[in-house]
Amino acid sequence: MDNKTNGFFMISDINNCIIFGLSNGDQFAKEVAEKTGIRLGSITTSRFADGEILVKSDNTVRGMDVFLFQSTSNPVNDNLMELLIAIDSLKRASANSITVIIPYYGYARQDRKAKGREPITCKLVANFLENAGATKIILIDIHSAQTQGFFNIPVDTMTASCVLFREFRKNNPGVIENLTMVAPDYGAVKNVRKISEILNVNLAIVDKRRPKPNVVEISNVLGDVENKDCLLIDDMIDTGGTILQNIELLKNKGCNKIFVMATHGVFSNNAIQKFEKALDNRLINELYIADTIESNLKINHPHIKVVKLSSFYAEILEAQINHKSVSDIYKKYWDIVCNKT
């Protein structure tokens, strides 16, 4: 059976599909397999005394269409190497196609040469994945849209904002009437503006500057936030410094409630403790993140909402298998959000 079309592989039969989850994607794989009815495979990662790893499928994959879940979050290099070895093993086992789903894509921020002699590691990782044998990549809220161009294989770049916002509206049904969406910097404006237009709410932009390396200076907010409920939206929270400075500025400008929403909760350098303190002191009312980094499922704070994406991923994979529009999935989620009263 040859499913090649225009040089790429097509998936033609759900019964010919199998899902695997690696060390940082196992929970996703289990939940998506249960929701879609796609067979859940077993894959074993062995570690040798010298630090090398061996990844081997416990199931035959010959001629099958494989979905492989793995976030390349901390420890980034270990998770990335495990993923590359897994792809190579599946390719050499004669899989028909290998769709790699990376909820959190490590090295995504190294996407350009900001200074002389710097690498473009995001592109390097793309080369690794492609050369290892991946036939398609699915990313979610990637840091820069140009990452798609680093690949010569199909790349779907999803966004979780509709799923996060559905949970936000469910918990705060009347909030839209007094809501201002806030972009924490100019890089986030495009995404935040799109959401504000869908919901027909106000937009504000925080003016962030870098006067010197590793120093962030937040000076002003462009837009009306006085007596407003503000929702800060970003693709990720790493150390949290920018977001926390944003919150201080918004409070000084007279806003009411402050909510924070980000797809990826990286939380480096004990950032989670800083946000828990801000939540306890009611500087932030609620924090929403997705479960793209599985360790965040262990966070236990009443005002930190870790939103699961397995149902969303299940719909994405079903659309891919059945050759249906992904745009219809987004429309369904936003219709639920907009009709919420």
Side-chain angles (χ1 to χ4, degrees), residues 47-74:
R47 298 184 182 274
F48 296 100
D50 64 354
E52 293 181 2
I53 63 174
L54 171 69
V55 185
K56 180 178 179 293
S57 166
D58 300 323
N59 309 96
T60 181
V61 296
R62 183 175 298 275
M64 299 189 73
D65 297 305
V66 176
F67 295 101
L68 181 62
F69 280 89
Q70 174 81 325
S71 274
T72 53
S73 54
N74 189 32

Side-chain angles (χ1 to χ4, degrees), residues 6-186:
N6 297 326
F8 297 123
F9 285 94
M10 291 180 61
I11 296 170
S12 59
D13 182 6
I14 193 170
N15 295 316
N16 195 52
C17 296
I18 188 168
I19 292 179
F20 293 103
L22 296 173
S23 299
N24 209 13
D26 184 56
Q27 189 65 32
F28 267 127
K30 290 176 181 176
E31 293 178 2
V32 172
E34 182 179 353
K35 294 176 187 297
T36 58
I38 300 173
R39 179 185 176 190
L40 177 65
S42 173
I43 195 164
T44 300
T45 299
S46 304
R47 298 184 182 274
F48 296 100
D50 64 354
E52 293 181 2
I53 63 174
L54 171 69
V55 185
K56 180 178 179 293
S57 166
D58 300 323
N59 309 96
T60 181
V61 296
R62 183 175 298 275
M64 299 189 73
D65 297 305
V66 176
F67 295 101
L68 181 62
F69 280 89
Q70 174 81 325
S71 274
T72 53
S73 54
N74 189 32
V76 180
N77 297 330
D78 287 353
N79 286 325
L80 176 59
M81 198 65 202
E82 182 186 19
L83 175 58
L84 294 170
I85 293 171
I87 296 169
D88 184 73
S89 71
L90 294 166
K91 176 185 68 176
R92 295 178 187 279
S94 300
N96 180 59
S97 67
I98 305 169
T99 299
V100 180
I101 304 101
I102 309 176
Y104 177 78
Y105 186 90
Y107 290 108
R109 287 172 284 182
Q110 295 187 38
D111 58 351
R112 64 195 184 282
K113 285 185 66 172
K115 300 176 183 177
R117 300 183 300 280
E118 286 187 346
I120 305 178
T121 316
C122 185
K123 166 62 174 169
L124 179 64
V125 172
N127 290 344
F128 285 160
L129 292 166
E130 191 172 335
N131 291 333
T135 56
K136 183 169 185 175
I137 304 291
I138 297 178
L139 307 173
I140 193 158
D141 283 310
I142 192 67
H143 186 68
S144 300
Q146 64 260 31
T147 298
Q148 299 171 81
F150 292 162
F151 292 88
N152 293 313
I153 56 176
V155 179
D156 283 347
T157 52
M158 306 291 111
T159 177
S161 55
C162 58
V163 186
L164 291 166
F165 217 98
R166 184 181 65 171
E167 187 70 15
F168 172 67
R169 290 271 348 240
K170 184 175 74 174
N171 295 332
N172 302 276
V175 73
I176 292 294
E177 287 70 20
N178 192 45
L179 188 66
T180 292
M181 314 284 280
V182 181
D185 54 37
Y186 290 107

Side-chain angles (χ1 to χ4, degrees), residues 189-208:
V189 171
K190 183 177 180 180
N191 181 48
V192 179
R193 177 182 285 119
K194 183 177 181 180
I195 299 171
S196 69
E197 290 173 350
I198 291 172
L199 300 173
N200 193 28
V201 299
N202 292 329
L203 170 67
I205 304 168
V206 174
D207 184 20
K208 182 179 79 172

Side-chain angles (χ1 to χ4, degrees), residues 283-301:
L283 295 174
I284 308 173
N285 290 79
E286 289 177 341
L287 169 62
Y288 289 81
I289 57 172
D291 63 338
T292 56
I293 298 173
E294 287 189 1
S295 59
N296 286 340
L297 291 169
K298 300 175 183 177
I299 294 174
N300 184 22
H301 191 284

Side-chain angles (χ1 to χ4, degrees), residues 197-229:
E197 290 173 350
I198 291 172
L199 300 173
N200 193 28
V201 299
N202 292 329
L203 170 67
I205 304 168
V206 174
D207 184 20
K208 182 179 79 172
R209 308 171 191 272
R210 292 188 182 273
K212 55 184 178 180
N214 299 318
V215 176
V216 174
E217 182 181 277
I218 293 176
S219 58
N220 199 11
V221 58
L222 310 176
D224 181 20
V225 297
E226 187 174 0
N227 297 321
K228 298 287 187 179
D229 296 328

